[in-house]
Amino acid sequence: MDRRTFVKTLGVTSIAGLAGCTGGPTENDGDTENTDGGSASVAVVYATGGLGDGSFNDQAQTGLERAKEELSIQTEHSQPSDTSEFSRFQSQYAQSTSPDYDLVCCIGSLQGDPLSDTAPQFPDQQFMLVDANVDEPNVESYQFREEEGSFQVGHLAGLLTTDGLSTGAASTTDATSVGFIGGKENPLIKKFEAGFKAGVAYTDDSIDITSNYIGSFNDVTRGKEAALTQYNNGVDIIYHASGNTGTGVFQAAQEAGRYAIGVDSDQSKTESKYADHILASMVKYVNIAMFDAIEGVVEESFEGGTATELGLEQEGVKTVYGEAIGSEIPDEIKSKLETSKEQIVSGEISIPTDPSNV
């Protein structure tokens, strides 16, 4: 028995109530998928919004798919329906010996606290974590400067509600008013809100900003209701940071004839039926973090205990204009965004991470 197997056996003994088998989650454990491969075995525990959100989880999956194609890896994934399941999935993958996973990827900030408990129990299991930092020697952490990308789309929304726009299937009103809709109200999502508000205020601090939190990353109905209320109150453009809840924001934009800004992925492509209403997306390149971590395992260069932070300078976040109507945004406005980007990268613009400081 090698040291890793021994440690995993201890893990099985110490965690009561788990599957009691040597494989990863295989039954009664949510949605899983196996794919045969070769150079490494990788397990993924997605965030609760699940695959098909056209946003955060799907962006992570893009990195996994690239790794499967280019690195010939074996993969399995789980989609917890509740945050209480994170610890169980992390532990079951870590203690699996059939297969013996080379890397367990944990997607989303809410996996940080569970992983802080799980990682020390399996010191020879390599983990990567997105959106939080766990200071353990077997964890590679990746975080993003969401406030920087959100500032840019806030700047865009501020300029367009001020100047006015009518293109695609939508138009702005005579009001100067924009909105933000978040999923769960936690420090990570508040970084999105803070950046957006700062970008709007940078344009003109008299612009009205309405913020709502839904309390879920997967409640399309409530997302639509909140967005419709904002639009009916005169909001021109809504930026969401709410996972699959954002699908409701796009539905509301379509119904109200207004605009929305997507998040994490280019949602004018992933939610293409609403492309006539999606001005832009604040893309967060989780896929690159995912691929880089897996490549590091395959090339035996995994660096546990490290924390990587990606912002505008590293192109970890970026404003991507909508595929259908982005070309209609005036060049003058795009030029102003390029200037504010340069000012952020140079440090001339400092962006708060707490909306109460805007």
Side-chain angles (χ1 to χ4, degrees):
M1 179 182 294
D2 62 24
R3 181 170 177 271
R4 180 174 179 179
T5 302
F6 175 68
V7 170
K8 287 188 173 183
T9 302
L10 287 178
V12 172
T13 304
S14 63
I15 303 171
L18 291 181
C21 62
T22 55
T26 54
E27 57 182 311
N28 301 320
D29 284 325
D31 186 8
T32 63
E33 176 187 50
N34 276 302
T35 303
D36 292 334
S39 64
S41 295
V42 177
V44 183
V45 183
Y46 285 107
T48 52
L51 292 173
D53 62 359
S55 184
F56 182 60
N57 285 302
D58 284 0
Q59 187 76 347
Q61 188 189 35
T62 300
L64 184 69
E65 293 298 319
R66 179 187 168 196
K68 285 165 64 176
E69 182 176 336
E70 297 184 18
L71 304 174
S72 186
I73 60 169
Q74 177 181 345
T75 71
E76 180 167 344
H77 71 246
S78 293
Q79 301 181 69
S81 58
D82 188 86
T83 57
S84 63
E85 297 176 321
F86 286 147
S87 180
R88 179 165 62 90
F89 281 121
Q90 293 169 1
S91 297
Q92 285 186 257
Y93 282 131
Q95 69 193 27
S96 168
T97 56
S98 180
D100 192 350
Y101 292 104
D102 298 285
L103 181 69
V104 178
C105 300
C106 304
I107 309 303
S109 63
L110 298 179
Q111 298 208 44
D113 286 344
L115 189 58
S116 294
D117 295 330
T118 304
Q121 298 181 59
F122 304 97
D124 283 357
Q125 174 64 62
Q126 299 171 142
F127 296 92
M128 73 88 73
L129 172 65
V130 172
D131 274 358
N133 181 21
V134 169
D135 187 16
E136 294 290 341
N138 56 336
V139 179
E140 270 189 1
S141 299
Y142 291 84
Q143 293 178 284
F144 295 82
R145 298 192 189 107
E146 292 88 357
E147 70 276 13
E148 294 185 355
S150 298
F151 181 101
Q152 288 261 277
V153 295
H155 189 194
L156 173 66
L159 290 167
L160 290 176
T161 193
T162 302
D163 291 357
L165 182 71
S166 180
T167 188
S171 60
T172 56
T173 69
D174 292 334
T176 55
S177 180
V178 299
F180 172 83
I181 289 181
K184 292 192 175 182
E185 188 171 3
N186 59 40
L188 174 70
I189 303 303
K190 285 185 174 182
K191 289 171 66 180
F192 289 84
E193 182 188 4
F196 180 71
K197 284 184 168 180
V200 174
Y202 174 81
T203 309
D204 184 341
D205 59 12
S206 69
I207 297 172
D208 291 329
I209 307 173
T210 303
S211 290
N212 294 120
Y213 281 86
I214 304 303
S216 169
F217 293 109
N218 197 21
D219 193 331
V220 175
T221 300
R222 289 188 61 200
K224 181 179 179 180
E225 290 173 352
L228 277 176
T229 298
Q230 289 195 13
Y231 287 132
N232 289 336
N233 288 333
V235 164
D236 284 329
I237 302 161
I238 295 176
Y239 171 47
H240 87 91
S242 60
N244 193 39
T245 297
T247 301
V249 176
F250 298 137
Q251 291 174 353
Q254 189 175 63
E255 190 169 316
R258 303 283 173 77
Y259 295 111
I261 295 175
V263 75
D264 292 337
S265 300
D266 180 352
Q267 296 204 279
S268 70
K269 294 180 179 177
T270 62
E271 300 281 359
S272 58
K273 69 173 73 172
Y274 310 108
D276 277 353
H277 300 267
I278 300 176
L279 292 166
S281 297
M282 198 291 277
V283 177
K284 194 165 97 172
Y285 290 98
V286 179
N287 55 320
I288 294 177
M290 192 86 161
F291 180 83
D292 285 353
I294 295 171
E295 186 178 50
V297 166
V298 172
E299 296 180 351
E300 299 184 348
S301 59
F302 176 87
E303 294 186 83
T306 59
T308 301
E309 195 169 75
L310 302 168
L312 284 174
E313 184 175 8
Q314 299 79 17
E315 297 197 338
V317 295
K318 187 177 182 181
T319 299
V320 175
Y321 296 105
E323 188 171 58
I325 59 175
S327 61
E328 299 300 316
I329 297 172
D331 290 341
E332 181 184 2
I333 287 179
K334 292 178 178 177
S335 177
K336 289 181 178 178
L337 259 66
E338 282 301 313
T339 299
S340 65
K341 176 183 176 181
E342 292 169 4
Q343 291 173 318
I344 292 168
V345 171
S346 70
E348 187 176 343
I349 293 177
S350 178
I351 307 170
T353 56
D354 185 334
S356 65
N357 294 327
V358 177

